[in-house]
Amino acid sequence: MKRLRGFASDNNASVHPDIIQALINANEGHAVGYGDDVVTERTRLLFKEVFGESVEPFFVYNGTGANVISIQALARTFNAVVCARTAHINVDECGAPEKISGCKLLPIDTDNGKITVEQIGAFMHGFGFEHHAQPKLISITQVTELGTVYTIEEIRKIADYVHGLGLYLHMDGARLANAAAALECSLADVSFNAGVDVLSFGGTKNGLMFGEAVVFANAELAENVKYIRKQSTQLHSKLRYTSAQFEALLSNELWLKNAKHANEMAQLLAGEVWEIEGIEITQPVDSNGVFAIVPKAIIPKLQEEFFFYVWDEARSEVRWMTSFDTTKEDIQEFVAVLKKAMAE
Amino acid sequence: MKRLRGFASDNNASVHPDIIQALINANEGHAVGYGDDVVTERTRLLFKEVFGESVEPFFVYNGTGANVISIQALARTFNAVVCARTAHINVDECGAPEKISGCKLLPIDTDNGKITVEQIGAFMHGFGFEHHAQPKLISITQVTELGTVYTIEEIRKIADYVHGLGLYLHMDGARLANAAAALECSLADVSFNAGVDVLSFGGTKNGLMFGEAVVFANAELAENVKYIRKQSTQLHSKLRYTSAQFEALLSNELWLKNAKHANEMAQLLAGEVWEIEGIEITQPVDSNGVFAIVPKAIIPKLQEEFFFYVWDEARSEVRWMTSFDTTKEDIQEFVAVLKKAMAE
Amino acid sequence: MKRLRGFASDNNASVHPDIIQALINANEGHAVGYGDDVVTERTRLLFKEVFGESVEPFFVYNGTGANVISIQALARTFNAVVCARTAHINVDECGAPEKISGCKLLPIDTDNGKITVEQIGAFMHGFGFEHHAQPKLISITQVTELGTVYTIEEIRKIADYVHGLGLYLHMDGARLANAAAALECSLADVSFNAGVDVLSFGGTKNGLMFGEAVVFANAELAENVKYIRKQSTQLHSKLRYTSAQFEALLSNELWLKNAKHANEMAQLLAGEVWEIEGIEITQPVDSNGVFAIVPKAIIPKLQEEFFFYVWDEARSEVRWMTSFDTTKEDIQEFVAVLKKAMAE
Amino acid sequence: MKRLRGFASDNNASVHPDIIQALINANEGHAVGYGDDVVTERTRLLFKEVFGESVEPFFVYNGTGANVISIQALARTFNAVVCARTAHINVDECGAPEKISGCKLLPIDTDNGKITVEQIGAFMHGFGFEHHAQPKLISITQVTELGTVYTIEEIRKIADYVHGLGLYLHMDGARLANAAAALECSLADVSFNAGVDVLSFGGTKNGLMFGEAVVFANAELAENVKYIRKQSTQLHSKLRYTSAQFEALLSNELWLKNAKHANEMAQLLAGEVWEIEGIEITQPVDSNGVFAIVPKAIIPKLQEEFFFYVWDEARSEVRWMTSFDTTKEDIQEFVAVLKKAMAE
């Protein structure tokens, strides 16, 4: 029998009650469509408070949408985007970045999902050579797809390098809140203050029903974004219901509470797993994901009760994600089942 | 002072309480993402009940998304799509159909937003001639952007003609519910039973928070749609919250109640306007929109209190849309303001 | 039995002997590929002499290539291109402009293939409105697809209007030489001196084996063109053989001799046809094409001996094109056959 | 002082006299445009003789064009193309494959430009998983970009594997003639007889002025290619001049004579270089390219007289290409200069 909650993904989680309440509150009377409403304007100003006065946020439906809008805004079709091979834009968007932006992706092999200036440097050639797609955008994921977190210094170093070459830095921040919680810094410190030019800021994995924000460092970079958002099918007509969720997320530090809790649950889980002989944790548990190699035989047994994904079939590596609604009891029950399976 | 509700668009309306309730109901525990959940499966079966056993629905975020998925599923980049010049795909999607599908649009001038077999016929040449984009898809909007409604016979005639040429019929049904309510027929009768191959079935304009369904006449036509949906940035990770809204909409005839009410409010408004000297209603009031030519001078006065759009600046033609939440009092108050403005 | 030469199209013609000779002359030893060769550099300077010091030419394979490069250079995917409905980019490129540039085309109905400021003006709205593809490029064809020629004043008027709105003017000059010959002016006078921003300058229809040049008014407009040309599959590796043809075309006024001759042959033909009762010439014979309505029955008889195209089946309108290699005897023989057919 | 011929690329070479003659021969009278001419039909039949009765050739301008047409014909935008990281489609086409086909490229690291079934196998997962671009086409280059040649058995093994998964095999045969010459087999044996589904058959690097052929294993695979060719800007209006070159190339074994000679010149060069201490040849000299690591200091001295490219700056690796017009004297003179530089 499947449990109410599993460890498959933070987007398998439910919607936080405060978000539901925000949707109910927004549901009064008519509002002009497509963002010319008071909720959206309030939320826009809130983003400026949180991320910096000069930023320009655009609310969209989902992360793939946010990413392809980011790329189209800062790159032309003959440009290339450098990213980790494990990046969501490279492996989990069915080729949407290439198809919709027309750009080539240049993937970098990494151990832990994080790329470095040295690795980026290996692609920094052929400028002005018309046969090569011209590098223009570097994309990093924070938290990475492997659960690791860039330090602020690491981001700053990449940003400085990239800007020195006249290129831009994109951050896929589907789990930015988890990173800020882990680093105990503000959302601005880990993004725009560290040199990011455009940010896909995630909401869905942190308690929203749907919704992502594409945030630009300044209005100039965002010049054409309203057209790009519309043409990329990412403009919500009843936009107040997207904005309202972000307003709630950024109010009363809900983003932080949710992310911190998810991170803590991963720590709890990792601590327990660490003790179990025969299981190897394969990545630093920086945020809300635990990657581990487990005996192949136990996987089906665990999955009978808890849904989660095998990350690497060959290595028998699994991924356990925690979320804002994961409870201590969930962890305890899971660990109990895990220990039992290991003992058999 | 602006009133709580206006006549700008049915997507300026709020979310129906039953839809809010359905979202709350869906908000329990974890669910597998991207549609492998029980709510989505139930809703899929409900679509088969309502639209016909063979149909295959895919839930997406919005109408532009639904339309570009429809085109990509049934046409290749070298194909052309024939539609009314006033069609949403032609004028209101910032060129998304061309950009994302690669297809050419062939617009037809109409008086009332409806196209005929004769008009379509004028584009049916050049088959096999590689210099011309090859016609493959005919797209009609039901209800049209001018508030008019195709009869079932009119649709059937187009479908037969189109199929006789080996082409497909797409219906942009952003307001299909209003059409079915107006024709007093089922949703199936006015779409698949009349020969439609792929339908963009709208929810947002009939009380949903967000959500549209792309529905294919059969599984064969839908073969690649799951990839196309994902690559077109239209796959919701927490899909149960899209599905749940559609489940509510198709249950207890909510779709019909909402649409019928909106239509009736338009009739009420039209009946009142009809009496006012100096205002000319310019389109048949088949559904929930009233188009009228009014004296230019009164427009700003009306707009002080009620939000609505000028449709054709040159002709001083305005569009007044009603929605599921329009009340009789709204109409009465608006008509009072209108009469007062005309009298001054 | 088919004659050696017909009236189907100036691209059915052969290659001018001077062009063949230029190819032979260029065929010595190795040359750096992709345009870094002395022939290309000489030809580039020759273009500056002919079209103006500030222009930047790029040599490509064909007209469709030249046109899609022009659009991509000056417009983004969310822009619209306004043109005559009869424009080559709209009807004869299998949707390449939409597919490759992502832009929407906004076609204007015309009687004679020429568009006016007034007609363009009807599309100049919705600026800043994200739902509408944003007009950015106006494209005119000189000579038009109907054989008519814009006067310099007509072009200047359009250019001034377009520039006043911050838009650009593209000229599809597949037959620019014929226009300049007809207007008895220089190639620069009828293009850049009249306000054109980017020109597709045709060679193939005026005696080349292949080759078109995309010419920008200045280097700034051409900033990204080398990448766009390569990415659009239009960069010739052995580019010296394209350039050499253009060098020959622009030397010794070959372009003018060829175009003038073709125009004169059309005049000769038109003069003869004018005399024949029962045939109606439907367009001004401004350049090297004659459009005429003829009795349906005679068409197959004529086509037994001379290849040409029916332009409009319904009206029984045909198109007869002359070219640099059309001889007086060709015209006389054709007219003789025509008269015989009319007499039967 | 630069010599008449260098070792930069076989596309820096001139046009073979027989090809020039074929162009002159084709230059008589008018011919229907776009391929409906007798030369093209003859050449099409000749391709069937050479490559197999069932093949369907389409003549295009260049290799990038041939490759993007191949991809579009056999893959949809949500598909992925697997190839060597060094493949021309991956590094030398400015992202045209991604932009024009919409597909993702999945590059494989190799030592020698050749990919194996095992390496391809690492990408053969995620079928049916909508988040991943679906592998559909495997592209191999014959001769590879590193001058190495796949054996017929190697190709057959890949083809069988790929077909077993329901995928297609594309061969970028820009230098297919050199491969066949090296393997002493027919053009068919090393392509379609070995299981290739679609072939980009190169002419430009083997003595043509311009021109490539996209050849499909059968008419069914080529169903939409005429539209794709036109929409991809690769349809030559005066197509007889492309076809005539291919007719000459495939007549009297000109393709073989040219390729064999180029290969022999590379052998001659490699043999001489082999003897020189301090230079290391880095790839098997299978065809007409020699890759070697040379002292950095000598490169500018050599390039004063002979044009060639540095392949890998970091390793001081250079590439010397021979072509049909390379003479023994060219090799001797180059080796003399090389030896002198090494001795200094």
Side-chain angles (χ1 to χ4, degrees):
Chain A
M1 199 210 67
K2 276 289 196 307
R3 305 299 172 111
L4 194 57
R5 286 175 296 277
F7 300 93
S9 175
D10 30 14
N11 67 27
N12 283 207
S14 58
V15 178
H16 191 278
D18 289 4
I19 300 298
I20 294 282
Q21 190 55 52
L23 289 170
I24 291 169
N25 295 347
N27 197 36
E28 204 201 346
H30 282 206
V32 182
Y34 306 108
D36 269 345
D37 64 89
V38 292
V39 182
T40 301
E41 182 54 19
R42 277 200 320 257
T43 311
R44 184 175 161 268
L45 295 176
L46 187 52
F47 265 75
K48 287 173 170 285
E49 254 176 59
V50 169
F51 284 101
E53 195 47 46
S54 68
V55 307
E56 281 298 339
F58 293 80
F59 305 111
V60 301
Y61 288 115
N62 65 1
T64 300
N67 290 333
V68 301
I69 289 169
S70 298
I71 298 172
Q72 289 174 92
L74 300 189
R76 298 287 306 268
T77 61
F78 48 80
N79 287 130
V81 180
V82 177
C83 62
R85 183 183 295 281
T86 46
H88 199 269
I89 57 169
N90 191 49
V91 289
D92 288 314
E93 301 184 352
C94 200
E98 285 93 339
K99 189 226 153 107
I100 296 185
S101 78
C103 295
K104 171 179 272 299
L105 264 59
L106 297 172
I108 293 176
D109 286 315
T110 73
D111 290 330
N112 59 4
K114 292 161 68 173
I115 59 176
T116 65
V117 162
E118 290 65 37
Q119 290 172 312
I120 297 167
F123 289 95
M124 295 301 107
H125 53 72
F127 292 112
F129 185 58
E130 71 212 273
H131 303 269
H132 289 191
Q134 300 288 302
K136 188 72 189 173
L137 198 63
I138 311 302
S139 180
I140 60 176
T141 313
Q142 174 79 314
V143 176
T144 73
E145 291 76 7
L146 294 171
T148 54
V149 172
Y150 286 91
T151 65
I152 293 176
E153 294 67 34
E154 286 171 334
I155 299 167
R156 166 52 62 199
K157 202 175 157 198
I158 294 174
D160 287 348
Y161 176 72
V162 158
H163 294 156
L165 290 165
L167 313 191
Y168 294 116
L169 180 59
H170 169 248
M171 177 176 278
D172 181 345
R175 295 187 182 98
L176 188 72
N178 299 87
L183 296 170
E184 299 187 345
C185 69
S186 73
L187 290 168
D189 281 345
V190 73
S191 56
F192 296 105
N193 294 351
V196 165
D197 296 297
V198 59
L199 168 71
S200 299
F201 177 56
T204 315
K205 290 187 164 88
N206 199 23
L208 263 54
M209 184 179 287
F210 65 93
E212 201 96 355
V214 196
V215 192
F216 291 84
N218 57 62
E220 202 183 336
L221 294 176
E223 192 192 354
N224 296 310
V225 173
K226 68 176 179 171
Y227 307 114
I228 294 171
R229 175 173 60 173
K230 174 66 193 174
Q231 198 183 34
S232 301
T233 79
Q234 285 283 318
L235 179 57
H236 186 189
S237 58
K238 290 177 165 173
L239 191 58
R240 59 171 149 165
Y241 297 99
T242 311
S243 313
Q245 295 180 73
F246 273 109
E247 188 180 34
L249 188 71
L250 292 189
S251 300
N252 308 317
E253 300 209 310
L254 179 61
W255 68 268
L256 181 58
K257 274 180 279 184
N258 283 356
K260 212 168 149 184
H261 177 79
N263 288 1
E264 284 168 3
M265 290 301 102
Q267 285 299 333
L268 186 61
L269 174 59
E272 294 281 356
V273 169
W274 202 255
E275 309 279 304
I276 304 174
E277 209 161 328
I279 300 187
E280 181 197 349
I281 293 181
T282 53
Q283 292 289 346
V285 182
D286 288 350
S287 59
N288 66 322
V290 179
F291 289 74
I293 292 176
V294 302
K296 252 197 176 68
I298 72 160
I299 295 175
K301 287 180 208 166
L302 295 175
Q303 286 183 332
E304 268 170 41
E305 299 190 44
F306 296 90
F307 194 56
F308 63 85
Y309 288 103
V310 176
W311 185 255
D312 183 330
E313 195 90 40
R315 301 174 62 195
S316 191
E317 187 180 21
V318 299
R319 184 187 78 160
W320 297 317
M321 299 298 296
T322 54
S323 51
F324 82 88
D325 63 353
T326 306
T327 65
K328 281 190 191 177
E329 292 69 33
D330 292 337
I331 303 288
Q332 285 158 359
E333 290 171 26
F334 179 66
V335 169
V337 172
L338 180 59
K339 283 181 172 164
K340 187 155 164 268
M342 290 297 289
E344 278 169 9
Chain B
M1 197 211 68
K2 276 288 197 305
R3 305 297 173 112
L4 194 59
R5 284 175 296 278
F7 299 94
S9 174
D10 29 15
N11 67 27
N12 283 208
S14 58
V15 178
H16 190 277
D18 290 5
I19 300 296
I20 295 282
Q21 191 55 52
L23 289 170
I24 291 168
N25 294 347
N27 196 36
E28 204 201 346
H30 282 206
V32 182
Y34 306 108
D36 268 345
D37 64 88
V38 292
V39 181
T40 301
E41 182 54 19
R42 275 200 322 255
T43 310
R44 183 175 161 267
L45 296 176
L46 187 52
F47 265 74
K48 287 172 168 285
E49 253 177 59
V50 169
F51 284 101
E53 195 47 46
S54 68
V55 307
E56 282 297 339
F58 294 79
F59 305 110
V60 300
Y61 288 115
N62 65 1
T64 300
N67 290 334
V68 300
I69 290 170
S70 298
I71 298 173
Q72 289 175 90
L74 300 189
R76 297 288 304 268
T77 61
F78 48 80
N79 286 131
V81 179
V82 177
C83 62
R85 183 183 296 278
T86 46
H88 199 269
I89 57 169
N90 191 50
V91 289
D92 288 314
E93 302 185 351
C94 199
E98 284 93 339
K99 190 230 154 105
I100 296 184
S101 78
C103 294
K104 171 179 272 300
L105 264 57
L106 297 172
I108 293 176
D109 286 315
T110 73
D111 289 330
N112 58 4
K114 291 161 68 173
I115 58 176
T116 65
V117 163
E118 289 66 36
Q119 289 172 313
I120 297 167
F123 289 94
M124 296 301 109
H125 53 72
F127 291 112
F129 185 58
E130 71 211 273
H131 303 269
H132 289 190
Q134 300 287 302
K136 190 69 189 176
L137 197 63
I138 310 303
S139 180
I140 60 177
T141 312
Q142 174 77 317
V143 175
T144 73
E145 292 75 7
L146 294 171
T148 54
V149 173
Y150 285 92
T151 65
I152 293 176
E153 294 67 35
E154 286 170 335
I155 299 167
R156 167 52 63 199
K157 202 175 158 198
I158 293 175
D160 287 348
Y161 176 72
V162 158
H163 294 156
L165 290 165
L167 312 190
Y168 294 117
L169 180 59
H170 169 249
M171 178 176 277
D172 181 345
R175 295 187 181 98
L176 189 71
N178 300 87
L183 297 170
E184 299 187 345
C185 70
S186 73
L187 290 168
D189 281 345
V190 72
S191 57
F192 297 104
N193 294 351
V196 165
D197 295 296
V198 59
L199 168 71
S200 299
F201 177 57
T204 315
K205 291 187 163 89
N206 199 24
L208 263 54
M209 184 179 287
F210 65 93
E212 201 95 355
V214 196
V215 192
F216 290 84
N218 57 63
E220 202 183 336
L221 294 177
E223 193 193 353
N224 296 310
V225 173
K226 68 176 179 173
Y227 307 113
I228 294 171
R229 175 174 59 173
K230 174 67 193 175
Q231 198 182 34
S232 301
T233 80
Q234 285 284 318
L235 180 58
H236 186 189
S237 58
K238 291 176 166 174
L239 192 57
R240 58 172 150 166
Y241 298 97
T242 312
S243 312
Q245 295 180 73
F246 273 109
E247 189 180 33
L249 188 70
L250 293 189
S251 299
N252 308 317
E253 300 208 310
L254 179 61
W255 68 269
L256 181 58
K257 272 181 279 184
N258 283 357
K260 212 169 150 184
H261 177 80
N263 288 1
E264 284 168 2
M265 290 301 103
Q267 285 300 333
L268 186 61
L269 174 58
E272 295 281 356
V273 169
W274 203 255
E275 309 278 304
I276 304 174
E277 211 163 325
I279 301 187
E280 181 198 350
I281 293 182
T282 53
Q283 292 289 346
V285 183
D286 288 352
S287 59
N288 66 322
V290 179
F291 289 74
I293 291 176
V294 301
K296 251 197 176 68
I298 72 160
I299 295 176
K301 287 180 208 167
L302 295 175
Q303 286 183 332
E304 268 170 41
E305 299 191 43
F306 296 91
F307 194 56
F308 63 85
Y309 288 104
V310 175
W311 185 257
D312 183 331
E313 195 88 41
R315 300 173 64 197
S316 190
E317 187 180 20
V318 299
R319 184 188 77 159
W320 297 318
M321 298 299 296
T322 55
S323 52
F324 82 88
D325 62 355
T326 306
T327 65
K328 280 190 193 177
E329 292 70 33
D330 292 336
I331 303 288
Q332 286 158 358
E333 290 171 25
F334 178 66
V335 169
V337 173
L338 180 59
K339 284 182 172 163
K340 187 155 164 269
M342 290 297 289
E344 278 169 8
Chain C
M1 201 209 67
K2 276 289 197 306
R3 304 298 172 112
L4 194 57
R5 286 175 296 278
F7 300 94
S9 174
D10 28 15
N11 68 26
N12 283 208
S14 58
V15 178
H16 190 277
D18 290 5
I19 299 296
I20 294 282
Q21 191 56 50
L23 289 169
I24 292 169
N25 294 348
N27 196 38
E28 205 200 346
H30 283 206
V32 182
Y34 306 109
D36 269 345
D37 65 89
V38 293
V39 182
T40 301
E41 182 54 19
R42 275 200 322 256
T43 310
R44 183 175 160 268
L45 296 175
L46 187 52
F47 265 74
K48 286 173 168 285
E49 254 177 58
V50 169
F51 285 101
E53 195 48 46
S54 68
V55 307
E56 282 298 338
F58 294 79
F59 305 111
V60 300
Y61 287 115
N62 65 2
T64 299
N67 290 333
V68 300
I69 290 170
S70 298
I71 297 173
Q72 290 175 90
L74 300 188
R76 298 288 305 268
T77 61
F78 49 80
N79 287 131
V81 179
V82 177
C83 63
R85 183 183 296 279
T86 46
H88 199 269
I89 56 169
N90 191 48
V91 289
D92 288 313
E93 301 184 352
C94 200
E98 284 94 339
K99 189 228 154 106
I100 295 184
S101 78
C103 295
K104 172 179 273 301
L105 264 59
L106 296 172
I108 293 176
D109 285 315
T110 73
D111 289 332
N112 59 4
K114 292 161 68 173
I115 59 177
T116 65
V117 163
E118 289 66 36
Q119 289 171 313
I120 296 167
F123 289 94
M124 295 301 108
H125 53 72
F127 291 111
F129 185 57
E130 70 211 274
H131 303 269
H132 289 190
Q134 299 287 303
K136 188 71 189 174
L137 197 63
I138 311 302
S139 180
I140 60 177
T141 313
Q142 175 77 314
V143 176
T144 74
E145 291 76 6
L146 294 172
T148 54
V149 173
Y150 286 92
T151 65
I152 292 177
E153 293 68 32
E154 287 170 335
I155 299 168
R156 166 53 62 200
K157 202 175 156 196
I158 293 175
D160 287 348
Y161 176 72
V162 158
H163 293 157
L165 290 165
L167 313 190
Y168 294 116
L169 180 59
H170 169 248
M171 177 175 278
D172 181 346
R175 294 187 182 98
L176 189 72
N178 299 87
L183 297 170
E184 299 187 345
C185 69
S186 73
L187 290 169
D189 282 345
V190 72
S191 57
F192 297 105
N193 294 350
V196 166
D197 296 296
V198 58
L199 168 71
S200 299
F201 178 57
T204 315
K205 291 187 163 89
N206 199 25
L208 263 53
M209 184 179 286
F210 65 94
E212 201 95 355
V214 196
V215 192
F216 291 84
N218 57 61
E220 203 184 335
L221 294 177
E223 192 192 353
N224 296 311
V225 173
K226 67 177 180 171
Y227 307 114
I228 294 171
R229 174 174 61 174
K230 175 66 193 173
Q231 198 182 35
S232 301
T233 80
Q234 284 284 318
L235 179 58
H236 187 189
S237 57
K238 290 177 166 172
L239 192 58
R240 60 172 149 166
Y241 298 98
T242 310
S243 313
Q245 295 180 74
F246 273 109
E247 187 179 34
L249 188 71
L250 293 189
S251 299
N252 307 315
E253 300 208 312
L254 179 61
W255 67 269
L256 181 58
K257 274 181 278 184
N258 283 356
K260 211 168 151 185
H261 177 81
N263 288 0
E264 285 168 2
M265 290 302 102
Q267 286 299 333
L268 186 62
L269 175 59
E272 294 281 355
V273 169
W274 203 256
E275 311 278 304
I276 304 174
E277 209 162 327
I279 301 187
E280 181 199 348
I281 292 182
T282 54
Q283 292 289 346
V285 182
D286 288 351
S287 59
N288 67 322
V290 179
F291 289 74
I293 291 175
V294 301
K296 250 196 178 71
I298 72 160
I299 295 175
K301 286 180 207 167
L302 295 174
Q303 286 183 331
E304 267 170 41
E305 299 191 43
F306 297 90
F307 194 56
F308 63 86
Y309 288 104
V310 175
W311 185 255
D312 183 330
E313 196 89 40
R315 300 174 62 197
S316 192
E317 187 180 20
V318 299
R319 184 187 78 160
W320 297 317
M321 299 298 295
T322 55
S323 52
F324 82 87
D325 63 353
T326 306
T327 65
K328 281 191 193 178
E329 292 70 34
D330 292 336
I331 302 289
Q332 287 158 359
E333 290 172 26
F334 178 66
V335 170
V337 172
L338 180 58
K339 285 181 173 165
K340 187 155 163 268
M342 289 298 288
E344 277 170 10
Chain D
M1 198 210 66
K2 276 288 196 305
R3 304 300 172 109
L4 193 58
R5 285 175 296 278
F7 300 93
S9 175
D10 29 14
N11 68 28
N12 283 209
S14 59
V15 178
H16 191 278
D18 289 5
I19 299 297
I20 294 282
Q21 191 57 50
L23 289 169
I24 292 169
N25 295 347
N27 196 37
E28 205 200 346
H30 283 205
V32 181
Y34 306 107
D36 269 344
D37 63 89
V38 292
V39 182
T40 300
E41 182 55 18
R42 276 200 322 256
T43 310
R44 183 175 162 267
L45 296 176
L46 188 52
F47 265 74
K48 287 173 168 285
E49 254 177 58
V50 169
F51 285 101
E53 194 48 45
S54 68
V55 308
E56 282 298 339
F58 293 79
F59 306 111
V60 301
Y61 288 115
N62 65 1
T64 300
N67 290 334
V68 301
I69 290 169
S70 298
I71 297 173
Q72 290 175 90
L74 300 189
R76 298 288 304 268
T77 60
F78 49 80
N79 286 130
V81 179
V82 177
C83 62
R85 183 182 296 277
T86 46
H88 198 269
I89 56 169
N90 191 51
V91 289
D92 289 313
E93 301 184 352
C94 200
E98 285 93 339
K99 190 230 153 104
I100 296 184
S101 78
C103 295
K104 171 179 273 299
L105 263 58
L106 296 173
I108 293 176
D109 286 316
T110 73
D111 290 330
N112 59 4
K114 291 161 69 173
I115 58 176
T116 65
V117 162
E118 288 66 36
Q119 290 172 312
I120 297 166
F123 289 94
M124 295 301 108
H125 52 73
F127 291 112
F129 185 58
E130 71 211 275
H131 303 269
H132 289 191
Q134 300 287 302
K136 189 71 189 176
L137 198 63
I138 312 302
S139 180
I140 60 177
T141 313
Q142 174 78 315
V143 175
T144 74
E145 291 77 7
L146 294 171
T148 54
V149 172
Y150 286 91
T151 65
I152 293 176
E153 292 69 32
E154 287 170 334
I155 299 166
R156 166 54 64 198
K157 203 175 157 197
I158 293 174
D160 287 347
Y161 176 71
V162 158
H163 294 156
L165 290 165
L167 313 190
Y168 294 116
L169 180 59
H170 169 248
M171 177 176 277
D172 180 346
R175 294 186 182 99
L176 189 72
N178 299 87
L183 296 170
E184 299 187 345
C185 69
S186 74
L187 290 168
D189 282 345
V190 72
S191 56
F192 297 104
N193 293 350
V196 165
D197 296 296
V198 59
L199 168 72
S200 299
F201 177 57
T204 315
K205 291 187 164 87
N206 200 24
L208 262 53
M209 183 179 287
F210 65 94
E212 201 96 355
V214 196
V215 192
F216 291 84
N218 57 62
E220 204 184 334
L221 295 176
E223 193 192 353
N224 296 310
V225 173
K226 67 177 180 172
Y227 307 114
I228 294 170
R229 175 174 60 174
K230 174 67 194 175
Q231 198 183 34
S232 302
T233 79
Q234 284 284 317
L235 179 58
H236 186 188
S237 58
K238 290 176 165 172
L239 190 58
R240 59 172 150 166
Y241 297 98
T242 311
S243 312
Q245 295 180 74
F246 273 109
E247 187 179 35
L249 188 71
L250 293 188
S251 298
N252 307 315
E253 301 208 310
L254 178 62
W255 68 269
L256 181 57
K257 273 181 279 183
N258 283 357
K260 213 169 149 183
H261 177 81
N263 288 0
E264 284 169 2
M265 290 300 102
Q267 285 300 333
L268 186 61
L269 174 60
E272 294 281 356
V273 169
W274 203 256
E275 309 279 304
I276 304 175
E277 210 163 327
I279 301 187
E280 181 198 348
I281 292 182
T282 54
Q283 293 289 346
V285 183
D286 288 352
S287 59
N288 67 321
V290 179
F291 289 74
I293 292 176
V294 301
K296 251 198 178 68
I298 72 161
I299 295 175
K301 289 180 205 165
L302 295 174
Q303 286 183 332
E304 267 171 41
E305 298 191 45
F306 297 90
F307 193 57
F308 62 87
Y309 288 104
V310 175
W311 185 254
D312 183 331
E313 195 90 40
R315 299 174 63 197
S316 191
E317 188 180 21
V318 300
R319 185 188 77 160
W320 297 318
M321 299 298 296
T322 54
S323 52
F324 81 87
D325 63 353
T326 306
T327 65
K328 282 190 192 180
E329 292 69 34
D330 293 336
I331 303 288
Q332 287 158 358
E333 290 172 25
F334 178 67
V335 170
V337 173
L338 180 60
K339 284 181 171 165
K340 187 156 164 269
M342 289 297 289
E344 278 168 10

